[in-house]
Every structure is written in structure tokens, then in C-alpha cells.
Amino acid sequence: MEQRRYSGNDVARLHAAAEGLLGELDLEKLLTRVVTAGSGLLRCRLAVLSVVDGHGRIERVIRAGDEGVEPAGPAPSGAEAIGDRVATDARGLVGGTQLHRDIRAGGEIHGVLSFIGPTAGRFTAEDLDVADAFAATAGIAWQNAVRHGQALRDARAATALNMLITPMISADDDEIFGVAARSAASIVPATFVSIVCPEGDGGLIVRGAVGRHANELLGVVYESEGTLAGRALASGLVAVAVGPHEFPTSSGALRLGHVAAIPLMDRGRALGVIHLGRDLRGPLFSHAELDSVTSFAAAAEVIGRVRERASWRAVDTAVAEERSRIARDLHDTVIQRLFVTGLGLQAIGSANPLVDDAIEVQTNQIDAAIGDLRAAVSELATGVASGAPRDVRDSVVQELADLAASAGTAPRVVFAVPPNRALPPAIVDDILAVVREGAANILRHARSRWSEVTIEVDDAAATVVLEDDGVGIRANARRSGISNLEERALRHGGTFEVRRREGGGTRVRWRVPLGSAPA
């Protein structure tokens, strides 16, 4: 009978190895620990971990032990990694020099762990039992690390989106992409993050960059054809380069180990690409990391809207300047001439009693015209006629920009408003009051990590929702501000409610039907 290799002490080592795996939540460190601990536990010369991606392909290989040892046959790869070779009956491998065990979590194979060259010459049945137990434990630890990493990335992405919206409210076109690059860089570790945009006919330009080499990247212009960014822009899909990859800089080509290009899509069109780069010795970007940045890239719609708003502001500024010029001309030239003409007519009437009554009628008409012109001048100077509909988007964005300027932060804002939809001034004024009071309450009392304002307008109603993940509303909280917002809703025949939010925090909902604003 073959001598048993594992004693009670060996079982203790298996237990210690399992504890070491389950206590590690950093996936990269866990993968290294799996191969090193597995190599020592199975007393083999080499342990190889083949990491499998979501499509069953080998994504990368991690080795621990004697690099001079080579497998007797081909290492598992491609479909073979999750096919018959790994699923071979364990008893059929007893007495061999290699063991291949798959690491499963959540019903899926995450990797293949290979033990090669046992120091005792052959693997035993007890070795197979230990290998199975170790692989099962590794699967649990792997799943824990994946979930932990995803939770961290989700939190970073939420923070990044909030980082994105607040400064962008008042950012100009030159700053927008720098804000986006800094926000994306907070989600996953990278040597650098840059934003590349189309430039001219078939060209690309780096509009924003953070991290190492940022100064060498910013402002660089190069041809799109044959580049990773060009592929991502043309396809609207993530493009990845594995292995040595050159990226143009102002001082020459930058040599990297792994680069990913994630398109920034805004309503079906590509605004640009988020470039992520890691050094030659850095780990590959995982699918989970790329998914997190891809989700963040959906915020390109925010970038597009902010750029449009910047263009609108430029147009509005030009229009305002032209209005001001016309108003000055009307006041300084036309009104003065009419006034002088009226005085002249009055002088003629005083000298000619026969036409005095007729001249008085004409001077009254001139006075009325002067009054109309003064009203027109006032409207031109302010840019808004009394009672004219107003754009709720610009009004809310300006309100939050003022809040961010004074408080240093503001809730994220989400609009579900049809393009070019204006609302009666009374409704807009009340929406701004709700946003102002609600946002101020969040900043003063909520102690939240996340907050959001949603403005929704359809044919039936205008709705404002404020949410945060803070401490929640207190039972004895003062209701003066809340009562004011409730009165504003009731005045339009609407509704107002405040309640605790599922998962913690507060949810405020203010809704009024449209077409009911007071005249």
C-alpha cells in the first residue's frame, strides 16, 4: 500500500492556507497567493494558474516555483481549459506527475490550477483530495475578492460621476475633458488616463490627461488610422492592446504593456475615447475593471450636454451684448429724438393756437410710443419678457453652480426633460426653490456620501426628486422649509412627500401638473 503523505500537521497547513486565501480581498494579491500556497501545499516543483475570462479563454498565466520545469504535455489553453482535460476523472490521474484542477465560483470557471512535478515523484489519492479542497477554497476566496473589487469600483464610479458633474456645471470647453480624465482615473489604477478626441479630417488630439506622462500627452495630435483609439471610435466598442504598445507623446513614443480604449458615446455619436495605460510590468486590465470604466463612459452624455451648454452660453453672451447695444441705441438715439420732436411740436402748437389741439393729439401719440420703447428697452436689457416661458435646465444648472461655488459641492443632477421644453416662470421659480431648499438640507444635515437631483418633465407634470444616502430625516426636524415646499406644490394642485429612502437616507418628491401655474 502507498504510504500516506499527509499527516495531521499537513491538515493544519491546509487549514492555514485556506485562511490565508479567504482573508485576502485584493484579487491580484489573491492570485499570487493561490499559486504560491498551492505549490507549497502539494509539494510540487511548479504551480501554474491559468486565469480564464468570461468567454472561457485563457486571459493570463501566473507561475510559482521552478521556472525550469516544463509540463509533460501542453498546458490547458482556450476551450481546453474548461473542457474534457480538466474534467478528467480524478482517480485517473493518481500516480501521475501533473494535476489540473479548475477553480469554480458561482457556477463558472475562473481559472485552472496546475500542479507539476511532485517532489515525491508521483501524486497520490490524498494529493487529489487536498488539491480539490484547496481549489474549492480558492474559488470561494476568488468570488469574495471579485465582489469586493466590484463594490469598490462601483463606489469609485459613483464618486467619479459626482466629481464629474459638479465642476462641469461651470467648466469651459478646455476644462471639461481634464475633469473627465481625473474622474475616470479614480475608478481603476493606471499609469495614465487620457481623453482623445477627433481633430480635423482623420486626426486625433489628446484633450485631457492625468498621471505619469500627462504633460507629454496633453495636446498631442496624431493620425487616427491604425490606432487603438481609431478602432474604438469607428466601432463604438472597447478596444484593447495586450503586450508592448506604443503611444505617441510630445517627446516621442511611449512604450506600454497594456492599453485600453473606451469610447465616450453621446446619443449615438462618439465624442472621444478614454485611454487607460499601464506599464509593461503592470497587470492587464480585467474585464470587471473595463466594465466599470465603460459604465462611467456613459457619462459622455453629460460632457456633450455641458459642451452644448457652453456653446449656448457663448451664443447667449453674444445675443445679450447685441441686445444691450440695441437697447443703448434705442435709449440714446431714438427715444431722445422722439422726445425732442415732441418738444418741437409743443412749441409750434403754442405759437399757432389753431393747430394746438391737433398737435396735442400727436404729442400724446409720441409720449405713448416713448413709453412702449422704454418697455422694449427694459426687456432687451434683461433678455426676458415678463411672463415668458423659461428653460428649466439652464435655471437648475445655474442654481447648482451657485451652490457649488459657495459650498464647494452640489448634488449630481439628472434631467429627463424634452429638448427645448420651456415652463411657465411660476413653475420654474418653484422648482428652483425645491432644488435650493432640498440641496441645502442635504449639505447641512444629511452627512451623505452621495446625493442626486432628478428633474423630470412630460406632457402631464413636472417632477423634482432629491435623494441622498445620509442619516435620514429626523422625527423632530424643523418643518418650516418643508412646509414652504409643500405649499408651493399645493398652490399648483400638486403633491409633496418626504420619506426615508430604502437603504438609508432621504427621498423628497415634489410634483405639480402642468398648465396650472398661477397667472
Side-chain angles (χ1 to χ4, degrees), residues 445-467:
H445 308 300
R447 299 201 297 274
S448 61
R449 294 169 300 174
W450 167 88
S451 59
E452 182 175 273
V453 178
T454 301
I455 311 293
E456 182 177 356
V457 176
D458 56 27
D459 292 338
T463 305
V464 181
V465 176
L466 295 102
E467 293 185 283

Side-chain angles (χ1 to χ4, degrees), residues 155-166:
R156 289 173 188 152
T159 302
L161 287 173
N162 203 38
M163 286 171 55
L164 184 68
I165 187 63
T166 301

Side-chain angles (χ1 to χ4, degrees), residues 192-463:
F192 78 86
V193 176
S194 66
I195 308 293
V196 180
C197 300
E199 175 78 355
D201 187 14
L204 297 171
I205 182 171
V206 180
R207 299 290 303 276
V210 295
R212 204 186 312 162
H213 314 292
N215 292 335
E216 301 171 55
L217 292 166
L218 198 60
V220 170
V221 179
Y222 58 97
E223 291 299 317
S224 173
E225 186 176 356
T227 66
L228 207 62
R231 282 167 48 195
L233 284 171
S235 65
L237 302 173
V238 176
V240 176
V242 179
H245 179 81
E246 291 189 348
F247 196 87
T249 72
S250 58
S251 60
L254 175 64
R255 193 173 175 82
L256 298 162
H258 192 201
V259 177
I262 297 133
L264 288 161
M265 303 301 294
D266 175 26
R267 288 162 286 184
R269 63 190 179 93
L271 287 180
V273 166
I274 299 177
H275 252 134
L276 307 173
R278 281 178 177 162
D279 289 334
L280 287 167
R281 295 184 179 180
L284 305 181
F285 291 108
S286 69
H287 286 275
E289 287 177 324
L290 295 179
D291 286 345
S292 294
V293 181
T294 301
S295 298
F296 169 79
E301 183 171 346
V302 174
I303 298 174
R305 296 290 175 85
V306 170
R307 295 187 78 197
E308 288 176 2
R309 189 167 288 114
S311 299
W312 297 340
R313 282 200 300 267
V315 172
D316 288 345
T317 299
V319 170
E321 290 175 352
E322 183 64 11
R323 283 174 175 272
S324 180
R325 184 192 64 76
I326 294 172
R328 288 195 303 271
D329 286 349
L330 285 173
H331 182 273
D332 298 341
T333 304
V334 179
I335 291 178
Q336 292 301 320
R337 285 182 180 177
L338 284 173
F339 186 70
V340 170
T341 301
L343 290 176
L345 286 173
Q346 286 179 335
I348 293 172
S350 297
N352 298 274
L354 293 177
V355 296
D356 186 47
D357 291 341
I359 286 177
E360 184 177 359
V361 172
Q362 298 304 314
T363 54
N364 288 338
Q365 292 292 329
I366 289 174
D367 287 341
I370 290 174
D372 291 342
L373 280 171
R374 289 191 187 278
V377 167
S378 177
E379 289 183 6
L380 281 168
T382 60
V384 179
S386 176
R390 289 160 56 189
D391 188 323
V392 68
R393 289 175 182 268
D394 288 342
S395 300
V396 169
V397 166
Q398 186 58 55
E399 185 70 36
L400 291 178
D402 293 342
L403 179 64
S406 60
T409 185
R412 176 190 176 202
V413 61
V414 176
F415 289 106
V417 182
N420 304 319
R421 178 61 190 271
L423 295 176
I427 294 285
V428 175
D429 287 342
D430 284 343
I431 288 175
L432 294 181
V434 174
V435 172
R436 187 184 309 116
E437 179 74 21
N441 283 337
I442 289 171
L443 294 177
R444 285 197 297 262
H445 308 300
R447 299 201 297 274
S448 61
R449 294 169 300 174
W450 167 88
S451 59
E452 182 175 273
V453 178
T454 301
I455 311 293
E456 182 177 356
V457 176
D458 56 27
D459 292 338
T463 305

Side-chain angles (χ1 to χ4, degrees), residues 90-102:
R91 299 305 160 195
L93 295 176
V94 173
T97 59
Q98 297 188 71
L99 289 180
H100 303 289
R101 314 314 295 157
D102 49 347

